[in-house]
């Protein structure tokens, strides 16, 4: 039975779900993360992509790092620059550094990724709902990115654990639904 989060506002919902996520044991986190990786690898979104934007796991976000060793794909990772995300090409042998908010980022000198080359965006999320809307961390980085013309047509998959895949989350007029949501129990395409 799913918990009902209907009465919570965005800030309360974010706090509640982050606490739940961080209370997972390392074993449970690793197992569920690995299942999310399997679901992604088997999706047509993934198999048809060449260049994929991803993220380095932070505060027990689902860990996608087992995927990054697959050299069939070119991987892009974000750096926070002012109020936006700058995307850089990254490979497992490349260095990383701790950036804004303590999040691991590619080195600033890493090659910049052109939006035209991107085939898929894996979007870190606090929660996603059945309509494909996501609850982020409150900084608006992905909202701003996904509203830009060069990113609007890119396939997007929200990445969450199943407890954070909800029937409905509070949304704003500017929120845009993602095209799919992946949890440890499966990948669901929207619309």
């Amino acid at each position: 039975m799913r918990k009902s989060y209907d009465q919570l506002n965005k800030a309360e919902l974010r706090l509640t779900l982050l606490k739940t996520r961080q209370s997972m044991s390392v074993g449970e986190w690793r197992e569920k993360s690995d299942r999310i990786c399997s679901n992604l690898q088997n999706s047509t979104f993934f198999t048809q992509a060449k260049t994929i934007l991803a993220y380095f796991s932070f505060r027990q976000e689902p860990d996608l790092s087992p995927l990054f060793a697959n050299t069939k794909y070119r991987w892009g990772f974000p750096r926070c620059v002012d109020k936006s995300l700058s995307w850089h090409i990254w490979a497992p042998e490349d260095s990383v550094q701790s950036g804004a908010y303590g999040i691991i980022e590619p080195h600033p000198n890493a090659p910049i990724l052109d939006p035209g080359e991107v085939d898929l965006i894996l979007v870190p999320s606090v929660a996603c709902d059945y309509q494909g809307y996501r609850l982020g961390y409150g900084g608006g980085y992905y909202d701003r990115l996904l509203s830009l013309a060069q990113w609007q047509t890119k396939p997007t998959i929200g990445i969450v654990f199943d407890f954070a895949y909800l029937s409905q989350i509070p949304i704003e007029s500017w929120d845009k639904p993602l095209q799919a949501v992946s949890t440890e129990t499966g990948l669901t395409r929207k619309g």
Side-chain angles (χ1 to χ4, degrees):
M1 179 67 199
R2 287 190 182 274
K3 291 180 188 163
S4 174
Y5 294 111
D6 297 347
Q7 303 310 310
L8 299 181
N9 66 31
K10 276 188 170 184
E12 291 168 327
L13 182 59
R14 185 178 292 118
L15 200 60
T16 302
L17 291 170
L18 288 174
K19 274 187 185 156
T20 304
R21 193 170 77 193
Q22 290 180 290
S23 70
M24 293 169 72
S25 72
V26 173
E28 181 186 15
W29 171 74
R30 177 78 269 143
E31 182 199 339
K32 289 181 176 186
S33 293
D34 288 349
R35 279 195 267 153
I36 289 172
C37 290
S38 295
N39 292 335
L40 287 170
Q41 280 176 307
N42 295 325
S43 76
T44 52
F45 283 111
F46 212 80
T47 55
Q48 293 171 358
K50 288 184 178 59
T51 301
I52 301 172
L53 301 186
Y55 62 88
F56 294 112
S57 174
F58 180 65
R59 294 193 302 198
Q60 295 222 141
E61 287 173 322
D63 179 17
L64 304 181
S65 62
L67 300 174
F68 309 155
N70 189 333
T71 54
K72 176 182 155 200
Y73 302 103
R74 204 158 61 138
W75 295 97
F77 289 87
R79 283 183 50 248
C80 292
V81 179
D82 298 322
K83 287 281 175 198
S84 61
L85 296 173
S86 171
W87 292 90
H88 296 262
I89 298 167
W90 183 86
E93 64 274 8
D94 296 342
S95 65
V96 292
Q97 64 184 36
S98 183
Y101 312 107
I103 299 171
I104 299 294
E105 303 181 333
H107 197 272
N109 298 340
I112 298 278
L113 198 50
D114 182 300
E117 300 173 67
V118 173
D119 303 306
L120 177 62
I121 307 173
L122 304 178
V123 185
S125 307
V126 175
C128 289
D129 72 12
Y130 297 171
Q131 292 71 50
Y133 288 102
R134 83 181 264 278
L135 177 66
Y137 292 88
Y141 287 93
Y142 280 88
D143 292 330
R144 285 189 291 278
L145 178 83
L146 298 174
S147 69
L148 298 172
Q150 68 265 39
W151 298 105
Q152 284 181 352
T153 58
K154 305 293 179 189
T156 50
I157 303 177
I159 310 295
V160 290
F161 292 119
D162 194 58
F163 68 79
Y165 187 34
L166 309 173
S167 58
Q168 202 170 7
I169 57 175
I171 58 170
E172 309 291 346
S173 58
W174 59 80
D175 287 337
K176 304 240 182 327
L178 304 171
Q179 283 163 302
V181 175
S182 183
T183 72
E184 69 271 20
T185 58
L187 187 140
T188 313
R189 196 178 277 261
K190 304 293 146 204

